[in-house]
Amino acid sequence: MANKEKKDAQENKLFQTIISHAKEYGFVFPSSEIYDGLQAVYDYGQNGVQLKNNLKQVWWKAMTQLNENIVGIDAAIFMHPTVWKASGHVDGFNDPMIDNKDSKKRYRVDHLIERHAEKMIAEGKKTEAEVLLQKMDDLLAKEDFKTLYELIVSEKIACEISSTVNWTEVRQFNLMFSTEIGSVSDESNKIYLRPETAQGIFVNFLNVQKTGRMKIPFGIAQIGKAFRNEIVARQFIFRMREFEQMEMQYFVRPGEEMITYNDWKEKRMKFLQAIGLPAQKLRFHNHTKLAHYANAALDIEYEFPFGFKELEGIHSRTDFDLKNHQEYSKTKQIYFDEEVQDKEKQRYIPYVVETSIGADRLFLAILCNAYTETEGVDAKGETKTRIFLKLHPAIAPIKVAVFPLVRNSGLPEKAREVFEMLRYDFDAMYEERGAIGKNYTRMDMIGTPFCITVDHQTLEDQTVTIRYRDTTEQERVLISDLPKIIGEAVSLRKVWEKLG
Ligand code: GAP
C-alpha cells in the first residue's frame, strides 16, 4: 500500500473508532435510529448533551461576560421570508449539482471534480490536476455551468457507483429548507428554516442598539439552530442538515473593519486553544474566493482525522446585510455616532465583522482531540491499551464520580454524603454497582477528570481517595478539601486567563 493510502486508512480507522465511541458512551446517536436513521441528522445522548452545553456555555461567557460591549439575543428560527431575499440566500445560497443518470446519485460539482483531482495526484499527475482545478474555479466563478458539464464529460469523470459518465446538466440547488406558515399551503405562505443565525442578529441590530444604549463598536452574540439541505452530507456530525451555530456580529465604523477583523482572528484562535485544542492542529486559511457579502474572510481549520477542515469562519461582511435590510424593509438601519467630529460622517450604516462556529463541529474537534489511547501495564503485568477522553475539566460532561468501595459497612451512606456535598456545585454522579476498576474505566471513557472512592478509612479519618483521569494517580485527601481541588480544576477562570 502506498504511504498516503496507508495514512488515509489509519485516519479513517481512527475516525470510525471515535464515531463508535461516541455512540457506545452516550454522546451521539443517529437520529431515529430504529427507523434506520435520517441522513446527516444526529441526536445527542446523556453525555453528549452535557459536553455540548458546556461548550456553548464557555463560548457564551467568553463573548458576553468577557467583553463588556457584547450582549446576547435569541431570535426565532422562522423569519419573514423577505429576510432571505435581502440576505441573498434565496438567489445565491446554491450549490451547483450534477446527477448521474444511471446510479441516480447527485454530486456537488466541485466535490466531484476535486475528488477526481485527488486521484490524478495519487497517480502522479499533479500538474494536470492543478490545471483541472483552476479551470473548475474559473467556470464556477463565471457560473458557466454548460462548460463545467463539458469539462466533466471530456475529463471522463465517472460516478463512483455506476462508473459511467452519463450525467445530467449542471443545475443550481438551493440549500434552504422551506415550509408553510399557517393553514394554507401555497407559495405566499412559504417560509424558510434559517440557514444561518446571523440574520436574526442583523434584523435586531437597532432593537438591541437602542434598548441597550450600545455604542459602536459593539457586538451581538447568538447560539441557535440552523438548517441546510446539504447534498453531500458525510463525516458524521461534521456536515449536518440540522446543526447549531454560535455567531457573533461586531458592528464597527466603516473603514475600521480590518483592524477588528484581525483582532477577532487572533482572539478566536486563542479561545480554541484555551479550551484544549492544540496550536499545531489549528491553522488559518484565507479565502481567495469571497462570499457575496464579504470583503475579507478566513477559516480557522482544525486537523480532524480526515484532514485540516473548516472549524470556524471569520468574515468581514461590510454593510451588505444591514444595507439590504434597509432597502427591502424600508426601515433605516442608520447609527448616529456622537463621537465622530465630521458632521457628514456621523450617520452611517455600520460595517460588520462576524465570527461563526458550529457547536457540533466544535464538539467533533474536541472529541477527536480528547480521544486518547495509551499503552500501560495492568496489575497482572499484562500490557493493556487504556482509552480515555482527555477533556478540559471545565467542559467534561461529568466532573466527579463518587463510589463506595463495597456496598455495605456504612460505605454507601458515607459515599452518598460526599456526593450530596458535591452535586450542587459540580456535575457529579454516584455509582455503587460494579467493581471500582470497571467504574474508573467507564469514567475514563466519558472523560470524567476525578473519581472519588470512599473506603473503610473514610469512616475513621474523613479522607477519601481521589483518582486523576490523565495520570491514573491516586492520593488521599480530606473530604473537606474536595470542593477546592475540583473547583480549581473546572473553573473557567483558567480558560479566561489563557485568553489574556
Ligand atoms: N453566518 C456565516 C456562516 O454561516 P458558514 O461558513 O456557512 O458561515 C459557519 O458557517 C460555521 O457553521 C462553519 O464554520 C461550521 O463550523 C458551521 N457549519 C456550517 N455548515 C454546517 C453544517 N452543515 N453542519 C455542521 N456545521 C456547519
Side-chain angles (χ1 to χ4, degrees):
M1 216 192 269
N3 279 348
K4 164 130 187 11
E5 276 174 48
K6 219 169 172 175
K7 190 167 167 267
D8 285 353
Q10 275 167 356
E11 286 171 351
N12 195 25
K13 189 163 165 260
L14 171 65
F15 192 44
Q16 291 312 320
T17 307
I18 292 169
I19 296 172
S20 306
H21 189 98
K23 178 161 181 229
E24 196 175 340
Y25 292 96
F27 284 92
V28 182
F29 307 127
S31 157
S32 346
E33 196 184 5
I34 57 170
Y35 293 98
D36 285 341
L38 183 65
Q39 222 200 353
V41 185
Y42 290 90
D43 298 337
Y44 285 83
Q46 66 279 17
N47 292 315
V49 68
Q50 290 270 117
L51 174 57
K52 194 173 174 198
N53 281 345
N54 291 343
L55 288 172
K56 289 194 284 186
Q57 192 204 26
V58 81
W59 180 90
W60 185 258
K61 291 199 167 177
M63 285 294 174
T64 62
Q65 197 170 318
L66 294 196
N67 295 284
E68 287 172 37
N69 60 349
I70 299 184
V71 292
I73 62 160
D74 182 18
I77 288 171
F78 294 148
M79 301 183 76
H80 192 285
T82 313
V83 166
W84 305 110
K85 231 11 222 165
S87 69
H89 284 82
V90 170
D91 300 319
F93 196 49
N94 301 312
D95 274 340
M97 311 294 303
I98 193 162
D99 293 46
N100 185 271
K101 289 184 194 164
D102 299 319
S103 69
K104 311 276 180 260
K105 188 166 162 55
R106 179 168 288 169
Y107 294 86
R108 238 175 85 171
V109 167
D110 54 339
H111 288 179
L112 181 71
I113 299 177
E114 273 163 11
R115 271 213 294 280
H116 184 74
E118 277 169 22
K119 279 191 212 142
M120 289 168 84
I121 294 169
E123 288 163 10
K125 299 181 194 157
K126 189 159 180 268
T127 319
E128 290 92 326
E130 281 167 0
V131 172
L132 174 65
L133 290 174
Q134 190 55 52
K135 272 192 201 161
M136 175 188 82
D137 281 348
D138 295 345
L139 294 171
L140 282 173
K142 286 194 274 182
E143 300 199 354
D144 183 351
F145 299 132
K146 189 167 171 291
T147 318
L148 208 49
Y149 164 81
E150 286 162 6
L151 181 71
I152 291 169
V153 174
S154 68
E155 287 287 329
K156 299 194 177 48
I157 301 179
C159 164
E160 58 195 25
I161 294 173
S162 68
S163 308
T164 69
V165 285
N166 192 11
W167 297 108
T168 61
E169 63 195 21
V170 174
R171 283 175 293 205
Q172 288 282 56
F173 188 91
N174 194 290
L175 299 186
M176 280 197 292
F177 284 103
S178 63
T179 185
E180 293 98 26
I181 199 156
S183 54
V184 186
S185 162
D186 70 18
E187 202 48 32
S188 65
N189 288 339
K190 184 169 167 181
I191 56 165
Y192 298 98
L193 274 72
R194 64 180 177 198
E196 63 170 7
T197 56
Q199 297 304 323
I201 292 180
F202 288 122
V203 298
N204 278 298
F205 156 68
L206 278 183
N207 281 339
V208 174
Q209 189 271 315
K210 288 189 174 141
T211 56
R213 298 188 302 150
M214 309 299 287
K215 280 193 186 318
I216 274 191
F218 72 91
I220 305 179
Q222 178 172 215
I223 299 178
K225 289 261 179 168
F227 304 83
R228 294 181 191 179
N229 199 359
E230 300 281 4
I231 307 308
V232 184
R234 281 177 287 129
Q235 291 155 331
F236 191 39
I237 56 171
F238 180 81
R239 198 177 300 286
M240 300 159 90
R241 295 201 164 113
E242 174 181 340
F243 57 101
E244 247 176 315
Q245 285 188 315
M246 306 194 282
E247 299 201 291
M248 193 278 298
Q249 323 297 131
Y250 204 74
F251 300 89
V252 299
R253 286 187 191 125
E256 293 184 4
E257 70 275 13
M258 285 320 289
I259 303 166
T260 309
Y261 172 78
N262 287 320
D263 201 25
W264 275 105
K265 168 181 156 181
E266 299 306 330
K267 275 194 186 167
R268 295 303 304 151
M269 182 59 106
K270 261 193 185 174
F271 171 85
L272 295 171
Q273 291 173 19
I275 59 168
L277 297 178
Q280 69 275 16
K281 284 192 162 241
L282 291 163
R283 70 178 187 197
F284 292 117
H285 169 77
N286 287 315
H287 284 209
T288 43
K289 237 172 28 190
L290 293 175
H292 57 279
Y293 50 72
N295 68 357
L298 63 86
D299 293 337
I300 300 181
E301 294 185 338
Y302 172 75
E303 190 177 14
F304 290 93
F306 42 88
F308 269 103
K309 293 276 170 286
E310 173 184 351
L311 173 59
E312 170 153 7
I314 320 272
H315 312 123
S316 172
R317 287 180 81 129
T318 67
D319 58 356
F320 175 87
D321 301 87
L322 288 180
K323 204 153 110 190
N324 275 5
H325 285 309
Q326 171 167 294
E327 189 186 321
Y328 278 80
S329 68
K330 310 270 178 282
T331 312
K332 287 230 171 317
Q333 299 297 307
I334 305 281
Y335 175 78
F336 175 66
D337 196 333
E338 292 164 347
E339 286 165 28
V340 170
Q341 302 302 320
D342 183 345
K343 286 226 174 317
E344 301 233 316
K345 292 189 178 158
Q346 276 179 334
R347 286 170 198 279
Y348 56 82
I349 297 179
Y351 270 43
V352 171
V353 172
E354 158 185 86
T355 75
S356 174
I357 184 165
D360 313 271
R361 215 172 268 188
L362 179 59
F363 180 108
L364 183 60
I366 290 284
L367 187 65
C368 291
N369 184 61
Y371 184 84
T372 311
E373 287 184 6
T374 52
E375 292 282 298
V377 179
D378 71 6
K380 293 181 198 148
E382 285 170 23
T383 306
K384 281 254 162 79
T385 306
R386 186 169 87 91
I387 298 170
F388 65 105
L389 294 187
K390 201 171 178 178
L391 292 167
H392 189 302
I395 56 170
I398 304 285
K399 315 294 186 207
V400 54
V402 184
F403 316 120
L405 183 66
V406 289
R407 288 169 84 173
N408 52 39
S409 314
L411 298 192
E413 291 76 8
K414 187 69 189 168
R416 273 219 161 261
E417 212 181 275
V418 176
F419 168 64
E420 289 296 330
M421 179 188 90
L422 296 171
R423 70 189 299 192
Y424 296 100
D425 294 316
F426 308 108
D427 286 307
M429 68 170 287
Y430 172 79
E431 180 60 88
E432 59 179 45
R433 291 166 301 173
I436 294 288
K438 287 227 166 89
N439 285 337
Y440 284 162
T441 305
R442 230 186 138 67
M443 287 300 115
D444 280 349
M445 296 298 193
I446 63 167
T448 305
F450 304 106
C451 289
I452 309 293
T453 303
V454 168
D455 56 19
H456 296 96
Q457 193 181 328
T458 311
L459 303 180
E460 287 160 24
D461 63 4
Q462 302 299 315
T463 63
V464 288
T465 354
I466 183 164
R467 182 230 189 219
Y468 301 98
R469 176 198 66 198
D470 297 351
T471 58
T472 72
E473 271 167 24
Q474 300 187 22
E475 66 177 326
R476 267 210 104 76
V477 298
L478 279 167
I479 294 173
S480 55
D481 284 344
L482 288 175
K484 186 164 179 282
I485 298 170
I486 302 165
E488 274 176 10
V490 306
S491 159
L492 283 180
R493 182 176 284 273
K494 289 222 155 110
V495 177
W496 306 150
E497 278 164 4
K498 287 195 192 146
L499 294 183

